[in-house]
Structure formats: C-alpha cells, structure tokens
Amino acid sequence: MQCTLGVIESIRSRETLEQVFEDVVALIPLGWQYTKIVRVKIRVDEDEYISEPFEESPWKQSAELVVHGKACGSIDVYLLEE
C-alpha cells in the first residue's frame, strides 16, 4: 500500500515521466516485505533507472511498460534470495 500511494503521489507532483521513474525504483522495494533483497530496474526506450545499490539475480518478475497505449520498456523486480 505504501508503494502504491507513493507512486500516485509521484505522478501527481512530478513534472516529468523521468522523475516518476526515479521515484518508482526507490519506492518498489519499500512495498515488499523484505526490502534488503529486492532490486528494481526500469527500462524506457534508451533510458534505464535502477534502485541503489543494484544487483541482478536469476529470480525476477518482469512486466512490460506501456505509456499512452504503446509498449516502450519494461519493469524488472529482482529478488536477491530465492
């Protein structure tokens, strides 16, 4: 819930989509129970936004990112422990 409310607030208050993406990579780990083992990567066209510190793992969930009805990137959420 904290993550969802944070994303809504970011959309309302930020001026650019890039600022929203920066907020989202910071907020998603807070929305998970185990914040120390969650990392996020958002790819939009040629840009990439990652949570810090970032680390990939074989355990990830991915979703296509669609803006104005057009696929333009992806969101990957990595779990650092199985």
Side-chain angles (χ1 to χ4, degrees), residues 7-67:
V7 171
I8 291 168
E9 179 59 32
S10 177
I11 291 168
R12 287 181 180 160
S13 64
R14 295 301 202 157
E15 294 182 15
T16 68
L17 192 55
E18 289 79 12
Q19 291 172 326
V20 172
F21 291 143
E22 290 169 1
D23 289 347
V24 169
V25 296
L27 287 167
I28 288 178
L30 295 177
W32 289 64
Q33 184 175 359
Y34 302 104
T35 60
K36 293 186 187 308
I37 63 168
V38 176
R39 301 295 182 264
V40 180
K41 179 190 293 183
I42 298 176
R43 282 180 292 240
V44 182
D45 299 322
E46 299 298 320
D47 297 322
E48 188 171 84
Y49 305 87
I50 58 174
S51 56
E52 294 293 339
F54 183 75
E55 183 179 345
E56 288 189 11
S57 79
W59 305 289
K60 79 174 180 179
Q61 296 178 355
S62 298
E64 185 176 52
L65 182 61
V66 178
V67 177

Short mmCIF file of all heavy atoms in Angstrom, two decimals, residues 7-67:
data_model
loop_
_atom_site.label_atom_id
_atom_site.label_comp_id
_atom_site.label_asym_id
_atom_site.label_seq_id
_atom_site.Cartn_x
_atom_site.Cartn_y
_atom_site.Cartn_z
N VAL A 7 3.58 6.02 -5.48
CA VAL A 7 3.55 6.17 -6.94
C VAL A 7 2.48 7.18 -7.33
O VAL A 7 2.71 8.06 -8.17
CB VAL A 7 3.32 4.81 -7.64
CG1 VAL A 7 3.06 5.00 -9.12
CG2 VAL A 7 4.51 3.89 -7.42
N ILE A 8 1.32 7.10 -6.71
CA ILE A 8 0.24 8.05 -7.00
C ILE A 8 0.68 9.47 -6.68
O ILE A 8 0.49 10.39 -7.47
CB ILE A 8 -1.04 7.68 -6.23
CG1 ILE A 8 -1.63 6.38 -6.79
CG2 ILE A 8 -2.08 8.81 -6.29
CD1 ILE A 8 -2.71 5.77 -5.93
N GLU A 9 1.32 9.65 -5.54
CA GLU A 9 1.80 10.98 -5.15
C GLU A 9 2.86 11.48 -6.12
O GLU A 9 2.88 12.65 -6.49
CB GLU A 9 2.35 10.96 -3.72
CG GLU A 9 2.87 12.30 -3.25
CD GLU A 9 1.83 13.41 -3.28
OE1 GLU A 9 0.63 13.14 -3.07
OE2 GLU A 9 2.23 14.57 -3.50
N SER A 10 3.75 10.60 -6.56
CA SER A 10 4.78 10.99 -7.51
C SER A 10 4.16 11.45 -8.83
O SER A 10 4.55 12.47 -9.39
CB SER A 10 5.73 9.82 -7.77
OG SER A 10 6.69 10.16 -8.75
N ILE A 11 3.18 10.71 -9.32
CA ILE A 11 2.51 11.08 -10.57
C ILE A 11 1.85 12.44 -10.44
O ILE A 11 1.89 13.26 -11.36
CB ILE A 11 1.49 9.99 -10.98
CG1 ILE A 11 2.24 8.72 -11.40
CG2 ILE A 11 0.58 10.48 -12.11
CD1 ILE A 11 1.36 7.51 -11.55
N ARG A 12 1.27 12.70 -9.29
CA ARG A 12 0.59 13.99 -9.07
C ARG A 12 1.56 15.16 -8.94
O ARG A 12 1.25 16.28 -9.35
CB ARG A 12 -0.26 13.93 -7.79
CG ARG A 12 -1.49 13.10 -7.93
CD ARG A 12 -2.27 13.11 -6.65
NE ARG A 12 -3.47 12.31 -6.78
CZ ARG A 12 -4.15 11.83 -5.77
NH1 ARG A 12 -3.75 12.07 -4.52
NH2 ARG A 12 -5.23 11.11 -5.97
N SER A 13 2.73 14.91 -8.35
CA SER A 13 3.60 16.04 -8.00
C SER A 13 4.79 16.25 -8.94
O SER A 13 5.34 17.35 -8.98
CB SER A 13 4.13 15.86 -6.58
OG SER A 13 4.95 14.71 -6.49
N ARG A 14 5.19 15.24 -9.67
CA ARG A 14 6.36 15.37 -10.52
C ARG A 14 6.00 15.97 -11.86
O ARG A 14 4.89 15.82 -12.34
CB ARG A 14 7.04 14.02 -10.73
CG ARG A 14 7.61 13.42 -9.48
CD ARG A 14 8.63 14.32 -8.86
NE ARG A 14 9.52 13.55 -7.99
CZ ARG A 14 10.72 13.92 -7.68
NH1 ARG A 14 11.22 15.06 -8.11
NH2 ARG A 14 11.46 13.18 -6.90
N GLU A 15 6.96 16.63 -12.49
CA GLU A 15 6.72 17.31 -13.76
C GLU A 15 7.02 16.45 -14.97
O GLU A 15 6.47 16.66 -16.03
CB GLU A 15 7.54 18.59 -13.82
CG GLU A 15 7.08 19.62 -12.79
CD GLU A 15 7.87 20.91 -12.88
OE1 GLU A 15 8.55 21.13 -13.88
OE2 GLU A 15 7.80 21.69 -11.92
N THR A 16 7.93 15.47 -14.81
CA THR A 16 8.31 14.65 -15.97
C THR A 16 8.15 13.17 -15.65
O THR A 16 8.21 12.75 -14.49
CB THR A 16 9.77 14.90 -16.39
OG1 THR A 16 10.64 14.39 -15.36
CG2 THR A 16 10.04 16.37 -16.65
N LEU A 17 7.99 12.37 -16.70
CA LEU A 17 7.90 10.93 -16.55
C LEU A 17 9.20 10.37 -15.99
O LEU A 17 9.19 9.42 -15.19
CB LEU A 17 7.57 10.30 -17.90
CG LEU A 17 7.15 8.85 -17.90
CD1 LEU A 17 5.97 8.61 -16.97
CD2 LEU A 17 6.82 8.40 -19.31
N GLU A 18 10.32 10.96 -16.36
CA GLU A 18 11.61 10.51 -15.86
C GLU A 18 11.68 10.64 -14.33
O GLU A 18 12.21 9.77 -13.65
CB GLU A 18 12.76 11.30 -16.50
CG GLU A 18 12.98 10.96 -17.96
CD GLU A 18 11.99 11.65 -18.92
OE1 GLU A 18 11.25 12.57 -18.50
OE2 GLU A 18 11.95 11.24 -20.08
N GLN A 19 11.15 11.72 -13.78
CA GLN A 19 11.13 11.90 -12.33
C GLN A 19 10.27 10.83 -11.66
O GLN A 19 10.61 10.33 -10.59
CB GLN A 19 10.63 13.29 -11.98
CG GLN A 19 11.59 14.40 -12.36
CD GLN A 19 10.98 15.78 -12.18
OE1 GLN A 19 9.79 15.98 -12.38
NE2 GLN A 19 11.82 16.73 -11.82
N VAL A 20 9.16 10.49 -12.30
CA VAL A 20 8.29 9.44 -11.75
C VAL A 20 9.04 8.11 -11.73
O VAL A 20 8.99 7.38 -10.74
CB VAL A 20 6.98 9.33 -12.55
CG1 VAL A 20 6.17 8.12 -12.11
CG2 VAL A 20 6.15 10.60 -12.42
N PHE A 21 9.75 7.77 -12.80
CA PHE A 21 10.50 6.52 -12.84
C PHE A 21 11.56 6.48 -11.75
O PHE A 21 11.77 5.45 -11.12
CB PHE A 21 11.16 6.32 -14.21
CG PHE A 21 10.18 6.06 -15.32
CD1 PHE A 21 10.42 6.57 -16.58
CD2 PHE A 21 9.04 5.31 -15.11
CE1 PHE A 21 9.52 6.32 -17.61
CE2 PHE A 21 8.14 5.06 -16.13
CZ PHE A 21 8.39 5.57 -17.39
N GLU A 22 12.23 7.59 -11.51
CA GLU A 22 13.22 7.65 -10.43
C GLU A 22 12.56 7.37 -9.08
O GLU A 22 13.12 6.65 -8.25
CB GLU A 22 13.92 9.00 -10.43
CG GLU A 22 14.84 9.19 -11.62
CD GLU A 22 15.34 10.61 -11.78
OE1 GLU A 22 15.01 11.48 -10.95
OE2 GLU A 22 16.08 10.85 -12.75
N ASP A 23 11.38 7.91 -8.88
CA ASP A 23 10.65 7.66 -7.64
C ASP A 23 10.23 6.19 -7.53
O ASP A 23 10.33 5.59 -6.46
CB ASP A 23 9.40 8.54 -7.55
CG ASP A 23 9.72 10.00 -7.30
OD1 ASP A 23 10.88 10.33 -6.95
OD2 ASP A 23 8.80 10.84 -7.46
N VAL A 24 9.77 5.62 -8.63
CA VAL A 24 9.28 4.24 -8.61
C VAL A 24 10.39 3.26 -8.23
O VAL A 24 10.16 2.36 -7.42
CB VAL A 24 8.64 3.86 -9.96
CG1 VAL A 24 8.37 2.36 -10.05
CG2 VAL A 24 7.34 4.63 -10.16
N VAL A 25 11.60 3.41 -8.79
CA VAL A 25 12.67 2.48 -8.44
C VAL A 25 13.04 2.59 -6.96
O VAL A 25 13.49 1.62 -6.36
CB VAL A 25 13.92 2.62 -9.33
CG1 VAL A 25 13.63 2.27 -10.75
CG2 VAL A 25 14.59 3.95 -9.20
N ALA A 26 12.82 3.73 -6.36
CA ALA A 26 13.07 3.88 -4.93
C ALA A 26 11.92 3.33 -4.09
O ALA A 26 12.12 2.81 -3.00
CB ALA A 26 13.31 5.34 -4.59
N LEU A 27 10.70 3.42 -4.61
CA LEU A 27 9.52 3.01 -3.84
C LEU A 27 9.21 1.53 -3.88
O LEU A 27 8.72 0.98 -2.90
CB LEU A 27 8.28 3.76 -4.36
CG LEU A 27 8.20 5.23 -4.01
CD1 LEU A 27 7.11 5.91 -4.83
CD2 LEU A 27 7.92 5.40 -2.52
N ILE A 28 9.47 0.85 -4.98
CA ILE A 28 9.07 -0.56 -5.08
C ILE A 28 9.67 -1.42 -3.98
O ILE A 28 8.96 -2.18 -3.34
CB ILE A 28 9.34 -1.13 -6.49
CG1 ILE A 28 8.33 -0.53 -7.46
CG2 ILE A 28 9.25 -2.66 -6.49
CD1 ILE A 28 8.48 -0.95 -8.90
N PRO A 29 10.98 -1.33 -3.68
CA PRO A 29 11.47 -2.16 -2.58
C PRO A 29 10.77 -1.89 -1.25
O PRO A 29 10.59 -2.80 -0.46
CB PRO A 29 12.96 -1.80 -2.50
CG PRO A 29 13.30 -1.37 -3.88
CD PRO A 29 12.05 -0.64 -4.36
N LEU A 30 10.34 -0.66 -1.01
CA LEU A 30 9.63 -0.35 0.23
C LEU A 30 8.28 -1.05 0.30
O LEU A 30 7.76 -1.30 1.38
CB LEU A 30 9.42 1.17 0.35
CG LEU A 30 10.68 2.01 0.49
CD1 LEU A 30 10.33 3.49 0.51
CD2 LEU A 30 11.46 1.62 1.73
N GLY A 31 7.72 -1.36 -0.85
CA GLY A 31 6.43 -2.03 -0.88
C GLY A 31 6.50 -3.53 -0.66
O GLY A 31 5.50 -4.19 -0.50
N TRP A 32 7.70 -4.09 -0.64
CA TRP A 32 7.89 -5.52 -0.43
C TRP A 32 8.26 -5.76 1.02
O TRP A 32 8.83 -4.91 1.68
CB TRP A 32 8.99 -6.04 -1.35
CG TRP A 32 8.56 -6.07 -2.77
CD1 TRP A 32 8.23 -5.00 -3.55
CD2 TRP A 32 8.38 -7.22 -3.59
NE1 TRP A 32 7.88 -5.43 -4.80
CE2 TRP A 32 7.96 -6.77 -4.86
CE3 TRP A 32 8.55 -8.57 -3.37
CZ2 TRP A 32 7.70 -7.65 -5.90
CZ3 TRP A 32 8.30 -9.44 -4.42
CH2 TRP A 32 7.88 -8.98 -5.66
N GLN A 33 7.99 -6.96 1.50
CA GLN A 33 8.24 -7.28 2.91
C GLN A 33 9.74 -7.29 3.22
O GLN A 33 10.15 -6.88 4.30
CB GLN A 33 7.62 -8.63 3.24
CG GLN A 33 7.74 -8.99 4.70
CD GLN A 33 7.01 -10.28 5.01
OE1 GLN A 33 6.40 -10.90 4.16
NE2 GLN A 33 7.10 -10.69 6.26
N TYR A 34 10.56 -7.77 2.31
CA TYR A 34 11.99 -7.91 2.56
C TYR A 34 12.77 -6.90 1.72
O TYR A 34 13.29 -7.22 0.66
CB TYR A 34 12.44 -9.33 2.26
CG TYR A 34 11.69 -10.35 3.07
CD1 TYR A 34 10.69 -11.12 2.50
CD2 TYR A 34 11.96 -10.53 4.43
CE1 TYR A 34 9.97 -12.04 3.25
CE2 TYR A 34 11.25 -11.45 5.18
CZ TYR A 34 10.27 -12.20 4.58
OH TYR A 34 9.56 -13.11 5.33
N THR A 35 12.84 -5.69 2.19
CA THR A 35 13.42 -4.61 1.39
C THR A 35 14.90 -4.78 1.09
O THR A 35 15.39 -4.24 0.11
CB THR A 35 13.22 -3.25 2.09
OG1 THR A 35 13.86 -3.29 3.37
CG2 THR A 35 11.76 -2.94 2.26
N LYS A 36 15.63 -5.53 1.88
CA LYS A 36 17.07 -5.70 1.66
C LYS A 36 17.38 -6.66 0.52
O LYS A 36 18.50 -6.72 0.06
CB LYS A 36 17.75 -6.17 2.94
CG LYS A 36 17.72 -5.15 4.05
CD LYS A 36 18.53 -5.61 5.24
CE LYS A 36 18.41 -4.72 6.43
NZ LYS A 36 18.64 -3.35 6.25
N ILE A 37 16.38 -7.40 0.04
CA ILE A 37 16.65 -8.37 -1.02
C ILE A 37 15.88 -8.07 -2.31
O ILE A 37 15.79 -8.91 -3.19
CB ILE A 37 16.36 -9.81 -0.56
CG1 ILE A 37 14.89 -10.01 -0.23
CG2 ILE A 37 17.26 -10.20 0.60
CD1 ILE A 37 14.48 -11.45 -0.05
N VAL A 38 15.33 -6.87 -2.44
CA VAL A 38 14.58 -6.51 -3.64
C VAL A 38 15.31 -5.38 -4.38
O VAL A 38 15.71 -4.38 -3.77
CB VAL A 38 13.14 -6.06 -3.29
CG1 VAL A 38 12.40 -5.60 -4.53
CG2 VAL A 38 12.39 -7.19 -2.61
N ARG A 39 15.47 -5.54 -5.69
CA ARG A 39 16.06 -4.51 -6.53
C ARG A 39 15.17 -4.30 -7.76
O ARG A 39 14.49 -5.22 -8.20
CB ARG A 39 17.47 -4.90 -7.00
CG ARG A 39 18.46 -5.15 -5.88
CD ARG A 39 18.74 -3.88 -5.07
NE ARG A 39 19.72 -4.12 -4.04
CZ ARG A 39 19.43 -4.40 -2.77
NH1 ARG A 39 18.18 -4.50 -2.38
NH2 ARG A 39 20.38 -4.59 -1.88
N VAL A 40 15.20 -3.11 -8.32
CA VAL A 40 14.31 -2.78 -9.43
C VAL A 40 15.09 -2.14 -10.57
O VAL A 40 15.99 -1.33 -10.34
CB VAL A 40 13.21 -1.80 -8.96
CG1 VAL A 40 12.28 -1.46 -10.11
CG2 VAL A 40 12.42 -2.39 -7.81
N LYS A 41 14.72 -2.51 -11.79
CA LYS A 41 15.27 -1.87 -12.99
C LYS A 41 14.10 -1.52 -13.90
O LYS A 41 13.25 -2.36 -14.19
CB LYS A 41 16.21 -2.82 -13.72
CG LYS A 41 16.80 -2.21 -14.99
CD LYS A 41 17.53 -3.25 -15.84
CE LYS A 41 18.76 -3.77 -15.15
NZ LYS A 41 19.53 -4.73 -15.99
N ILE A 42 14.05 -0.27 -14.34
CA ILE A 42 13.04 0.17 -15.30
C ILE A 42 13.79 0.61 -16.56
O ILE A 42 14.72 1.41 -16.49
CB ILE A 42 12.21 1.34 -14.76
CG1 ILE A 42 11.44 0.92 -13.52
CG2 ILE A 42 11.24 1.86 -15.84
CD1 ILE A 42 10.66 2.05 -12.85
N ARG A 43 13.38 0.04 -17.70
CA ARG A 43 13.95 0.44 -18.98
C ARG A 43 12.87 1.12 -19.81
O ARG A 43 11.77 0.58 -19.96
CB ARG A 43 14.49 -0.77 -19.73
CG ARG A 43 15.82 -1.23 -19.22
CD ARG A 43 16.29 -2.41 -20.01
NE ARG A 43 15.39 -3.52 -19.69
CZ ARG A 43 15.78 -4.66 -19.15
NH1 ARG A 43 17.03 -4.88 -18.91
NH2 ARG A 43 14.92 -5.60 -18.86
N VAL A 44 13.18 2.31 -20.30
CA VAL A 44 12.26 3.07 -21.14
C VAL A 44 13.05 3.56 -22.34
O VAL A 44 13.98 4.36 -22.20
CB VAL A 44 11.66 4.28 -20.39
CG1 VAL A 44 10.67 5.02 -21.28
CG2 VAL A 44 11.01 3.84 -19.10
N ASP A 45 12.68 3.05 -23.51
CA ASP A 45 13.42 3.37 -24.72
C ASP A 45 14.92 3.14 -24.47
O ASP A 45 15.31 2.03 -24.18
CB ASP A 45 13.12 4.79 -25.20
CG ASP A 45 11.64 4.97 -25.53
OD1 ASP A 45 11.04 4.02 -26.08
OD2 ASP A 45 11.09 6.04 -25.23
N GLU A 46 15.72 4.17 -24.52
CA GLU A 46 17.17 4.02 -24.31
C GLU A 46 17.59 4.33 -22.87
O GLU A 46 18.77 4.20 -22.53
CB GLU A 46 17.94 4.94 -25.27
CG GLU A 46 17.68 4.65 -26.74
CD GLU A 46 18.13 3.26 -27.15
OE1 GLU A 46 19.19 2.80 -26.70
OE2 GLU A 46 17.38 2.61 -27.92
N ASP A 47 16.67 4.74 -22.02
CA ASP A 47 17.00 5.11 -20.65
C ASP A 47 16.80 3.94 -19.70
O ASP A 47 15.97 3.07 -19.92
CB ASP A 47 16.13 6.29 -20.19
CG ASP A 47 16.38 7.54 -21.01
OD1 ASP A 47 17.54 7.79 -21.37
OD2 ASP A 47 15.41 8.25 -21.31
N GLU A 48 17.57 3.96 -18.60
CA GLU A 48 17.47 2.91 -17.60
C GLU A 48 17.50 3.56 -16.22
O GLU A 48 18.31 4.45 -15.95
CB GLU A 48 18.64 1.95 -17.77
CG GLU A 48 18.56 0.72 -16.93
CD GLU A 48 19.62 -0.30 -17.31
OE1 GLU A 48 20.75 -0.17 -16.82
OE2 GLU A 48 19.30 -1.18 -18.11
N TYR A 49 16.62 3.09 -15.34
CA TYR A 49 16.53 3.58 -13.97
C TYR A 49 16.66 2.38 -13.06
O TYR A 49 15.97 1.38 -13.25
CB TYR A 49 15.18 4.28 -13.73
CG TYR A 49 14.93 5.39 -14.72
CD1 TYR A 49 14.32 5.12 -15.94
CD2 TYR A 49 15.32 6.69 -14.44
CE1 TYR A 49 14.10 6.13 -16.86
CE2 TYR A 49 15.10 7.70 -15.36
CZ TYR A 49 14.49 7.42 -16.57
OH TYR A 49 14.28 8.41 -17.48
N ILE A 50 17.56 2.44 -12.06
CA ILE A 50 17.78 1.30 -11.19
C ILE A 50 17.77 1.74 -9.73
O ILE A 50 18.11 2.87 -9.40
CB ILE A 50 19.11 0.59 -11.51
CG1 ILE A 50 20.30 1.53 -11.38
CG2 ILE A 50 19.06 -0.05 -12.89
CD1 ILE A 50 21.65 0.86 -11.53
N SER A 51 17.35 0.81 -8.87
CA SER A 51 17.42 1.09 -7.44
C SER A 51 18.86 0.94 -6.99
O SER A 51 19.65 0.21 -7.58
CB SER A 51 16.50 0.14 -6.66
OG SER A 51 16.81 -1.21 -6.93
N GLU A 52 19.21 1.64 -5.96
CA GLU A 52 20.58 1.61 -5.45
C GLU A 52 20.60 0.98 -4.06
O GLU A 52 19.75 1.30 -3.24
CB GLU A 52 21.15 3.03 -5.37
CG GLU A 52 21.34 3.69 -6.71
CD GLU A 52 22.42 3.05 -7.56
OE1 GLU A 52 23.30 2.34 -7.01
OE2 GLU A 52 22.37 3.22 -8.78
N PRO A 53 21.56 0.13 -3.76
CA PRO A 53 22.52 -0.45 -4.69
C PRO A 53 21.82 -1.46 -5.58
O PRO A 53 20.82 -2.06 -5.17
CB PRO A 53 23.52 -1.14 -3.76
CG PRO A 53 22.73 -1.52 -2.57
CD PRO A 53 21.69 -0.43 -2.41
N PHE A 54 22.33 -1.66 -6.79
CA PHE A 54 21.65 -2.55 -7.73
C PHE A 54 22.43 -3.85 -7.90
O PHE A 54 23.66 -3.84 -7.91
CB PHE A 54 21.47 -1.90 -9.10
CG PHE A 54 20.72 -2.78 -10.04
CD1 PHE A 54 19.35 -2.92 -9.91
CD2 PHE A 54 21.37 -3.49 -11.02
CE1 PHE A 54 18.64 -3.75 -10.75
CE2 PHE A 54 20.68 -4.32 -11.88
CZ PHE A 54 19.31 -4.46 -11.74
N GLU A 55 21.68 -4.93 -8.04
CA GLU A 55 22.27 -6.24 -8.28
C GLU A 55 21.21 -7.10 -8.96
O GLU A 55 20.05 -7.09 -8.57
CB GLU A 55 22.65 -6.86 -6.93
CG GLU A 55 23.33 -8.18 -7.00
CD GLU A 55 23.71 -8.70 -5.62
OE1 GLU A 55 23.71 -7.93 -4.65
OE2 GLU A 55 23.99 -9.90 -5.53
N GLU A 56 21.59 -7.80 -10.02
CA GLU A 56 20.67 -8.71 -10.70
C GLU A 56 20.74 -10.08 -10.05
O GLU A 56 21.70 -10.41 -9.37
CB GLU A 56 21.02 -8.83 -12.19
CG GLU A 56 20.69 -7.60 -12.98
CD GLU A 56 20.82 -7.81 -14.48
OE1 GLU A 56 20.97 -8.96 -14.93
OE2 GLU A 56 20.77 -6.80 -15.20
N SER A 57 19.70 -10.88 -10.27
CA SER A 57 19.68 -12.25 -9.80
C SER A 57 18.83 -13.07 -10.77
O SER A 57 18.10 -12.51 -11.59
CB SER A 57 19.09 -12.32 -8.39
OG SER A 57 17.69 -12.23 -8.45
N PRO A 58 18.90 -14.39 -10.69
CA PRO A 58 18.09 -15.21 -11.58
C PRO A 58 16.60 -15.19 -11.22
O PRO A 58 15.77 -15.63 -12.01
CB PRO A 58 18.68 -16.61 -11.43
CG PRO A 58 19.43 -16.61 -10.16
CD PRO A 58 19.84 -15.18 -9.90
N TRP A 59 16.26 -14.69 -10.06
CA TRP A 59 14.87 -14.66 -9.61
C TRP A 59 14.29 -13.27 -9.84
O TRP A 59 14.55 -12.34 -9.09
CB TRP A 59 14.76 -15.03 -8.13
CG TRP A 59 15.41 -16.35 -7.86
CD1 TRP A 59 14.96 -17.57 -8.25
CD2 TRP A 59 16.64 -16.57 -7.18
NE1 TRP A 59 15.83 -18.55 -7.84
CE2 TRP A 59 16.88 -17.96 -7.18
CE3 TRP A 59 17.57 -15.73 -6.58
CZ2 TRP A 59 17.99 -18.53 -6.59
CZ3 TRP A 59 18.67 -16.29 -5.99
CH2 TRP A 59 18.88 -17.67 -6.00
N LYS A 60 13.54 -13.15 -10.92
CA LYS A 60 12.98 -11.83 -11.22
C LYS A 60 11.56 -11.96 -11.76
O LYS A 60 11.18 -13.00 -12.30
CB LYS A 60 13.85 -11.05 -12.20
CG LYS A 60 13.71 -11.43 -13.64
CD LYS A 60 14.52 -10.49 -14.53
CE LYS A 60 14.37 -10.90 -15.97
NZ LYS A 60 15.08 -10.03 -16.88
N GLN A 61 10.82 -10.90 -11.59
CA GLN A 61 9.50 -10.75 -12.18
C GLN A 61 9.57 -9.56 -13.11
O GLN A 61 10.15 -8.53 -12.76
CB GLN A 61 8.45 -10.52 -11.11
CG GLN A 61 8.29 -11.68 -10.17
CD GLN A 61 7.27 -11.40 -9.08
OE1 GLN A 61 6.73 -10.31 -8.98
NE2 GLN A 61 7.00 -12.40 -8.27
N SER A 62 8.99 -9.70 -14.29
CA SER A 62 9.06 -8.62 -15.28
C SER A 62 7.67 -8.28 -15.80
O SER A 62 6.79 -9.14 -15.83
CB SER A 62 9.93 -9.05 -16.47
OG SER A 62 11.23 -9.29 -16.05
N ALA A 63 7.52 -7.03 -16.18
CA ALA A 63 6.28 -6.57 -16.80
C ALA A 63 6.62 -5.55 -17.87
O ALA A 63 7.58 -4.78 -17.73
CB ALA A 63 5.36 -5.94 -15.75
N GLU A 64 5.84 -5.58 -18.93
CA GLU A 64 6.02 -4.60 -20.00
C GLU A 64 5.51 -3.25 -19.52
O GLU A 64 4.51 -3.17 -18.81
CB GLU A 64 5.23 -5.06 -21.22
CG GLU A 64 5.41 -4.22 -22.44
CD GLU A 64 4.66 -4.81 -23.63
OE1 GLU A 64 3.46 -5.08 -23.49
OE2 GLU A 64 5.29 -4.98 -24.67
N LEU A 65 6.19 -2.20 -19.90
CA LEU A 65 5.78 -0.84 -19.55
C LEU A 65 5.06 -0.24 -20.75
O LEU A 65 5.60 -0.20 -21.84
CB LEU A 65 7.00 0.00 -19.18
CG LEU A 65 6.74 1.43 -18.74
CD1 LEU A 65 5.88 1.46 -17.48
CD2 LEU A 65 8.05 2.14 -18.48
N VAL A 66 3.83 0.21 -20.52
CA VAL A 66 3.01 0.78 -21.59
C VAL A 66 2.64 2.20 -21.20
O VAL A 66 2.11 2.44 -20.12
CB VAL A 66 1.73 -0.06 -21.81
CG1 VAL A 66 0.86 0.56 -22.88
CG2 VAL A 66 2.10 -1.50 -22.16
N VAL A 67 2.97 3.15 -22.06
CA VAL A 67 2.65 4.56 -21.84
C VAL A 67 1.81 5.04 -23.01
O VAL A 67 2.22 4.89 -24.17
CB VAL A 67 3.93 5.42 -21.70
CG1 VAL A 67 3.59 6.89 -21.54
CG2 VAL A 67 4.77 4.92 -20.52
#
